[in-house]
């Protein structure tokens, strides 16, 4: 299992049935992923598994032993610092509880499509609930990040 | 209280699954099972089928017959990518399924085995005449029509120790689709859903009309009376009115926590009408994307 680019010790067999969310928080000390609902509805526990945004409350550790996992703690190292900067610049964060999950969904989208449309951003965020901010700030931040990451691209 | 941590077994060879399943339960995407577990369901040993996805492709098309074999253990995202143009009704159903994060995990196997009358992949598969490939505890195979596999709410034709390996459909026609009605656009269990497929002949007549609807009967059902009213017809306003008028014969909705029977009968007529005479883009109630600063200014 790799987390944020580094290999981590293989989880003990007795821990294979733990939720990935609990393993990240309690065993690896990565508390960025948050528990909201625990049932796949809210997206605050979203992490990136082999390039895809997935709710870590519905994944068991033993299911991802050979996977590349990325949490919000590893986003900047994966080249998504501009996305995080854009969220700050656009004031897209209020309480922040949803934000690690939102950022992971946006980062997985940007890795698939470097210059997404509003409709694509909407679809990428359809599993992330934010009760505070306005989603249009997320959209604006993603467009800014796309432009920053590809200054000569079509998205500028 | 959440039950104790389960033992998780992860076969990577399909031949090992039956042996491990003795006394255990299967888990694939976990998007139904782990929600039940959180609600208190005990499941001491789980056999993870998601690791089998690495052993085969998500979708295989038989070049000679056009038959599609859909893996029961791949995430829906992979099924939609693999089936894209070949199976428009299923691709549309996956597009309206839950959310991106859930589609990245949930499987067809899990969706069908839950036996929910609202399962969103079931109508497209039923309309297409799907068969379910099952591995029995002794490692043998049996195949059952999806129509016979779905027995009732939360009941399917799957014995203890059996598992679903794939679902096959004869080549679907080029025209097909899916619509659902739920409480909101994302993460919504369907109040009602409809899948359709047909051939459109050069003169505009529809042939091979097959319709299936969910949440209007104990299982997902074919709309045979309505389909018969459309067969070999050009879907003019009158023809559509006639098909919509007979839909009550095909469905037996009940009042439940999501919607009333009366509402479901009204929606059933509306969904069929929209499938046949789609609203033009200008009058679509679907403008859900609020334009952002960038697109407003374009
Ligand atoms: C937030 C959220 C939104 C949802 N939205 C929708 C929606 O829009 N539409 C919809 O239809 N459903 C929805 N669901 C329900 C669920 O996601 C689907 O039913 C999904 O397809 C289940 O697949 P899974 O692989 O996750 O199943 P799992 O949870 O892994 O398993 C479900 C059941 O099937 C059994 N099983 C799984 N695979 C096999 C197999 N190959 N052979 C034998 N038994 C098997 C398991 O033992 C278990 O009993 C939603 C769920 C959540 C949490
Ligand atoms: S905590 Fe996982 S989706 Fe809400
Ligand atoms: S910023 Fe508070 S939930 Fe999104």
């Amino acid at each position: 299992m790799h987390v944020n680019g580094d290999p981590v010790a293989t989880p003990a067999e007795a821990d294979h049935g733990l939720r990935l969310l609990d393993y990240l928080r309690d065993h690896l000390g990565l508390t960025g992923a948050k528990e909201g609902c625990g049932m796949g509805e809210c997206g605050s526990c979203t992490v990136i598994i082999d390039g895809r945004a997935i709710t870590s409350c519905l994944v068991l550790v033993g299911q991802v032993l050979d996977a590349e996992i990325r949490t919000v703690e590893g986003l900047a190292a994966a080249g998504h610092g501009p996305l995080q900067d854009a969220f700050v610049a656009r004031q897209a964060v209020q309480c922040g509880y949803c934000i690690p999950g939102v950022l992971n969904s946006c980062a997985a989208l940007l890795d698939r499509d470097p210059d997404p449309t509003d409709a694509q951003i909407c679809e990428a965020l359809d599993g992330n609930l934010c009760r505070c901010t306005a989603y249009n700030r997320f959209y604006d931040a993603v467009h800014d990040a796309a432009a920053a990451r590809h200054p000569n691209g079509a998205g500028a | 209280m959440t039950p104790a941590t389960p033992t998780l077994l992860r076969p990577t060879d399909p031949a090992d699954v039956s042996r491990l399943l003795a006394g255990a339960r299967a888990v694939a995407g976990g998007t139904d099972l782990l929600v039940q577990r959180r609600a208190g369901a005990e499941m001491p040993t789980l056999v993870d089928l998601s690791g089998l996805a690495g052993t085969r492709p998500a979708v295989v098309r038989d070049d000679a017959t056009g038959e599609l074999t859909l893996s029961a253990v791949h995430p829906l995202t992979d099924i939609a990518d693999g089936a894209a143009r070949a199976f428009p009704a299923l691709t549309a159903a996956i597009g309206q399924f839950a959310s991106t994060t859930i589609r990245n995990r949930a499987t067809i196997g899990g969706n069908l085995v839950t036996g929910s009358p609202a399962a969103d992949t079931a109508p497209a598969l039923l309309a297409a005449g799907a068969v379910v490939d099952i591995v029995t505890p002794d490692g043998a195979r049996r195949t059952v029509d999806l129509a016979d596999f779905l027995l009732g709410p939360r009941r399917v034709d799957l014995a203890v120790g059996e598992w679903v390996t794939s679902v096959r459909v004869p080549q679907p026609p080029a025209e097909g689709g899916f619509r659902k009605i739920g409480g909101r656009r994302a993460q919504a269990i369907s109040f009602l859903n409809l899948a359709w497929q047909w051939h459109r002949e050069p003169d505009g007549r529809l042939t091979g009309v097959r319709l299936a609807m969910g949440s209007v009967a104990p299982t997902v059902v074919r709309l045979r009376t309505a389909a018969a009213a459309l067969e070999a017809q050009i879907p003019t306003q009158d023809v559509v009115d006639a098909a919509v008028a007979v839909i009550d014969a095909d469905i037996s909705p009940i009042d439940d926590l999501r919607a009333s029977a009366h509402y479901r009968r009204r929606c059933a007529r509306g969904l069929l009408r929209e499938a046949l005479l789609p609203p033009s883009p200008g009058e679509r109630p679907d403008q859900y994307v609020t334009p952002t600063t960038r697109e407003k200014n374009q």
Side-chain angles (χ1 to χ4, degrees):
Chain A
M1 183 156 120
H2 282 69
V3 178
N4 295 328
D6 296 322
V8 297
T10 304
E13 221 165 284
D15 293 338
H16 289 190
L18 292 175
R19 302 184 306 172
L20 177 62
L21 174 63
D22 298 326
Y23 196 78
L24 291 171
R25 293 180 58 88
D26 301 341
H27 290 241
L28 300 181
L30 296 169
T31 54
K34 305 274 185 276
E35 176 153 12
C37 63
M39 338 194 280
E41 304 259 356
C42 75
S44 68
C45 67
T46 304
V47 300
I48 301 177
I49 302 178
D50 289 334
R52 288 180 175 171
I54 286 172
T55 52
S56 61
C57 69
L58 296 183
V59 176
L60 299 178
V61 173
Q63 297 185 292
V64 290
L65 294 178
D66 40 13
E68 294 272 350
I69 297 160
R70 208 164 275 283
T71 67
V72 71
E73 288 89 345
L75 271 190
H80 287 292
L83 178 67
Q84 293 173 303
D85 291 341
F87 266 68
V88 174
R90 287 286 183 175
Q91 301 191 9
V93 182
Q94 284 192 38
C95 83
Y97 201 84
C98 71
I99 294 296
V102 167
L103 285 169
N104 280 325
S105 286
C106 294
L109 171 67
L110 284 167
D111 286 341
R112 252 191 342 269
D113 190 319
D115 186 29
T117 63
D118 282 357
Q120 287 173 302
I121 302 169
C122 179
E123 186 177 319
L125 287 175
D126 59 3
N128 295 89
L129 282 179
C130 174
R131 62 182 181 176
C132 313
T133 318
Y135 281 78
N136 63 331
R137 292 179 188 239
F138 298 161
Y139 292 28
D140 287 337
V142 172
H143 291 311
D144 288 355
R149 293 209 323 157
H150 302 277
N152 304 318
Chain B
M1 211 187 86
T2 309
T5 306
T7 301
L8 185 85
L9 308 171
R10 184 169 163 89
T12 49
D13 182 346
D16 295 333
V17 175
S18 298
R19 180 174 51 80
L20 298 177
L21 267 182
R25 264 186 94 167
V27 59
T31 62
D32 185 84
L33 197 77
L34 297 183
V35 175
Q36 289 180 38
R37 181 171 167 267
R38 190 170 183 279
E42 297 280 350
M43 38 196 81
T45 309
L46 295 175
V47 178
D48 175 32
L49 303 181
S50 70
L52 303 175
T55 65
R56 50 173 152 148
V59 179
V60 178
R61 182 174 180 280
D62 184 318
D63 284 336
T65 62
E67 182 188 63
L68 299 176
T69 302
L70 311 167
S71 162
V73 299
H74 275 71
L76 295 176
T77 304
D78 291 331
I79 301 290
D81 287 350
R85 277 195 211 90
F87 196 170
L90 183 68
T91 314
I94 294 173
Q96 292 167 59
F97 194 105
S99 61
T100 302
T101 45
I102 299 291
R103 289 191 293 271
N104 282 341
R105 282 305 281 175
T107 63
I108 289 183
N111 199 227
L112 296 181
V113 172
T114 58
S116 164
D120 279 329
T121 67
L125 293 169
L126 192 67
V131 297
V132 182
D133 293 320
I134 295 166
V135 182
T136 59
D138 55 5
R141 297 257 177 151
R142 72 179 176 98
T143 294
V144 53
D145 284 346
L146 178 58
D148 299 323
F149 181 77
L150 304 173
L151 297 175
R154 300 254 152 206
R155 285 200 306 124
V156 294
D157 174 15
L158 193 74
V160 174
E162 290 186 325
W163 63 285
V164 178
T165 178
S166 53
V167 177
R168 281 177 291 131
V169 294
Q171 179 167 31
E175 262 192 62
F178 174 90
R179 279 183 79 88
K180 82 186 222 185
I181 297 178
R184 66 189 186 99
R185 179 167 293 273
Q187 306 287 50
I189 303 299
S190 292
F191 298 161
L192 201 79
N193 56 20
L194 169 70
W196 62 89
Q197 65 173 47
W198 49 61
H199 298 278
R200 200 178 292 264
E201 303 298 333
D203 63 3
R205 287 178 307 113
L206 304 182
T207 57
V209 177
R210 297 172 73 109
L211 312 167
M213 190 169 269
S215 280
V216 289
T219 65
V220 177
V221 285
R222 296 269 304 275
L223 305 180
R224 291 178 190 274
T225 318
L230 294 164
E231 187 64 31
Q233 304 289 322
I234 295 173
T236 58
Q237 191 70 54
D238 288 347
V239 167
V240 172
D241 286 346
V244 165
V246 297
I247 202 171
D248 275 342
D250 293 319
I251 62 178
S252 50
I254 55 167
D255 295 338
D256 70 14
L257 77 168
R258 290 202 191 90
S260 68
H262 171 77
Y263 176 76
R264 287 196 163 101
R265 285 195 188 277
R266 284 193 55 186
C267 289
R269 295 193 278 270
L271 277 182
L272 183 58
R273 192 178 294 284
E274 285 182 4
L276 288 155
L277 302 170
S280 67
E283 50 178 322
R284 276 169 75 93
D286 278 356
Q287 299 305 311
Y288 60 95
V289 178
T290 321
T292 60
T293 324
R294 180 171 97 152
E295 294 200 356
K296 257 193 309 217
N297 295 343
Q298 266 173 3

